[in-house]
Amino acid sequence: MLYPKDTQTREVKDLSGIWRFKVDRHNTGRADMWHMQPLQDTIPMPVPASYNDMTQDASIRDHIGDVWYETFFRIPRSWSGDRIMLRVGSACHHAVVWVNGRQAAEHKGGFLPFEADISEAVEYGMENRVTIVVNNVLTWQTLPPGRIKTFDDAKHPEGYRIQEYFHDFYNYAGLHRPVKVYRTPAAHIRDVTVTTDVQDGTGLVTYRTEASEAGAAVRVRLVDEEGRMVASGTGAQGTLRVENARLWKPLQAYLYTLHVELVGDDGETADHYMLDIGIRTVRVEGSRFLINGEPFYFKGFGKHEDSDIKGKGLDYAVNVKDFNLLKWIGANSFRTSHYPYAEEILDLADREGIVVIGEVPAVGFTFFNYNDKVYTPDQANDETLAHHLDVLNDMIARDKNHPSIVMWSVANEAATFQEEAVPYFRKVAETARVLDATRPLTLVQWALPDKCQVAQFFDVVCVNRYYSWYADPGCLDLVEHQVEWELSGWHRNFNKPVIMSEYGADAIAGFHQDPPVMFTEEYQCEMLQRYHNVFDRLDYVIGEHVWAFADFATKQGTTRINGNKKGVFTRQRQPKAAAHMLRRRWEQMAVTPKWSGR
Ligand code: GCB
């Protein structure tokens, strides 16, 4: 799905701003057709943003069910005759959209965009009303999954409900990414797919375009960062050759712009789209992850889209700060744990040369008891799998052209030790390979190496493990023994490169004790250091992603002290002691890369 852009033939209106908002206290608004008139008794609500932390009202924060958003926009008369699209960047987790009371779109899944052709629904030159109902309920047929718990006892008032979910990050909801209206010509470019290769210094840029009319004439040109055209071609698909190509490299990004034009019968440009691309290759070979043929060692974090007040709402300032912190600390990569991030973040990664592992929102497919079945007819069932495949499809369709994304993660900590996981993840892996044959695949593991039944379907083993935290809390002296025992098990059983995709300890900024105890900054440093000692000894360990980049909001519970404090930065992006320790390590690794001496 193409990101809306202003081009020679296209124009975008961003509807970000203050919308009208109303909580549907009894979830009756759909039946009462609230979308037919302007909403009554609304409060102001920013878009994009999560609504949860915006007011002082806990019943808004904790509401289970529908909330309503509404705004007004004008379409100039000059847009008449064009194709007018409405695009929602993300609505967590289900949404129905009406324009002037007429249904335009319905969508399930909170972290990916959807759009609708509203050419017939809008009035040109007049005011138009868009109404969006957003629902935050998680079930076993959503990603991530959840369930509504009801009570049948005297301790709870009748009808009392709780939204349960099996991941820790807070279930923020609302319109998290911008809503945009844009126009394209009626005859338009529908999609562009680019893959790249390098042969003896020549970059090969293979492109495929889809147009609204089959057989439409297409011309393309590739322009470098200085504005010089380096290659051109015609035809709906083809391969452009770039002599002496400047490669997209980690921390040394170079982007070319591919201009795609649909050509009318008169030879004029009927539609025009521009895509930034990077020329690079990605391959797993033996126990190495190669970017442009060079072994790459992942240094970085699992992150979240999460900040004060806005929750999961897109925030350019926070995003730029985060990329500056990544560079400051010497990181070169992150995983979009545990859902596809905003396209604006991936654009920054492309531009800054930060390597990304893109993840689908399949998180919480585990009960922390090996024997509790996850894949049952009333939990992770065929409908869940079908939705999982849809989301995978939509994520790859949206993100396939980002050079920063080097691998897809199809799930985080699924119960891969249960035999029902085998057909489930065989199907997921097969589908991902059909959708994208160019990028390696992983599934982030919680199972132990002798128990996992699906790692053979993937190219890289990613493991999350919290030795001396959830297991043997306080026993720092066990960490090296246990990490080495586990990682060597993965290597022995599957013979694939291994990334430690999560490891870490909660540290409350300002808590100190030496010798270290849990929740202090000293303990966080010491634990990370002990993991690192093992990574440095094991040749097949190809990366370390500390959990987490920054502290983040979670659901309430006895293991979380006003959020998850495993951040190396606080939620306000201030460094804890561990950040300085990592900075020293990663700067040194830039000078002496892991495999340089071998
Ligand atoms: C995990 C999860 C991550 C949690 C983390 C923790 O294994 O993948 O989402 O936040 O542990 O801190 O418990």
Side-chain angles (χ1 to χ4, degrees), residues 269-480:
T269 304
D271 190 18
H272 170 226
Y273 193 76
M274 288 156 8
L275 189 69
D276 285 342
I277 63 146
I279 300 177
R280 55 116 182 89
T281 64
V282 172
R283 209 167 64 242
V284 172
E285 210 175 83
S287 54
R288 297 286 184 266
F289 194 101
L290 305 178
I291 301 184
N292 303 324
E294 304 269 318
F296 180 71
Y297 190 84
F298 293 79
K299 300 180 290 181
F301 302 93
K303 278 183 103 273
H304 268 297
E305 288 180 300
D306 175 271
S307 63
D308 284 336
I309 302 176
K310 277 192 153 181
K312 291 202 171 309
L314 175 75
D315 187 323
Y316 292 109
V318 169
N319 294 339
V320 168
K321 179 74 177 175
D322 283 5
F323 276 82
N324 284 333
L325 289 174
L326 287 169
K327 288 192 290 179
W328 173 84
I329 204 170
N332 59 15
S333 54
F334 66 85
R335 174 169 58 116
T336 70
S337 41
H338 296 298
Y339 36 82
Y341 290 0
E343 291 148 288
E344 293 79 0
I345 296 179
L346 300 177
D347 287 344
L348 271 173
D350 290 346
R351 170 60 56 208
E352 299 287 348
I354 297 288
V355 168
V356 176
I357 301 172
E359 185 160 276
V360 289
V363 49
F365 273 60
T366 318
F367 299 119
F368 289 95
N369 175 346
Y370 264 53
N371 298 322
D372 287 348
K373 290 280 185 199
V374 168
Y375 312 90
T376 64
D378 57 349
Q379 295 184 141
N381 58 20
D382 290 347
E383 199 184 328
T384 316
L385 175 58
H387 182 52
H388 200 145
L389 299 180
D390 279 350
V391 173
L392 190 66
N393 181 62
D394 292 353
M395 175 181 77
I396 294 177
R398 190 194 71 162
D399 295 343
K400 61 191 170 186
N401 295 321
H402 286 284
S404 55
I405 299 192
V406 299
M407 179 157 67
W408 303 116
S409 159
V410 303
N412 180 71
E413 297 190 352
T416 57
F417 41 84
Q418 294 175 357
E419 61 187 355
E420 299 80 4
V422 176
Y424 190 104
F425 284 107
R426 182 190 290 124
K427 181 75 189 161
V428 170
E430 279 170 7
T431 306
R433 293 205 193 274
V434 171
L435 293 167
D436 182 357
T438 70
R439 287 180 177 88
L441 283 186
T442 192
L443 180 153
V444 176
Q445 298 287 350
W446 180 68
L448 285 167
D450 288 344
K451 299 275 197 264
C452 174
Q453 305 198 27
V454 309
Q456 67 276 13
F457 303 141
F458 301 93
D459 304 298
V460 172
V461 173
C462 282
V463 197
N464 296 350
R465 196 68 66 203
Y466 292 88
Y467 289 121
S468 84
W469 193 260
Y470 295 120
D472 299 305
C475 300
L476 284 171
D477 54 338
L478 282 177
V479 170
E480 290 197 34

Side-chain angles (χ1 to χ4, degrees), residues 223-225 248 253-257 276-278 347 350-351 403:
V223 173
D224 70 11
E225 285 186 2
W248 187 95
Y254 191 89
L255 296 176
Y256 292 89
T257 306
D276 285 342
I277 63 146
D347 287 344
D350 290 346
R351 170 60 56 208

Side-chain angles (χ1 to χ4, degrees), residues 160-179:
Y160 197 80
R161 312 188 298 158
I162 289 175
Q163 169 74 69
E164 287 190 327
Y165 42 94
F166 322 108
H167 54 276
D168 71 340
F169 61 91
Y170 184 70
N171 187 31
Y172 278 116
L175 296 174
H176 285 160
R177 299 177 191 158
V179 179

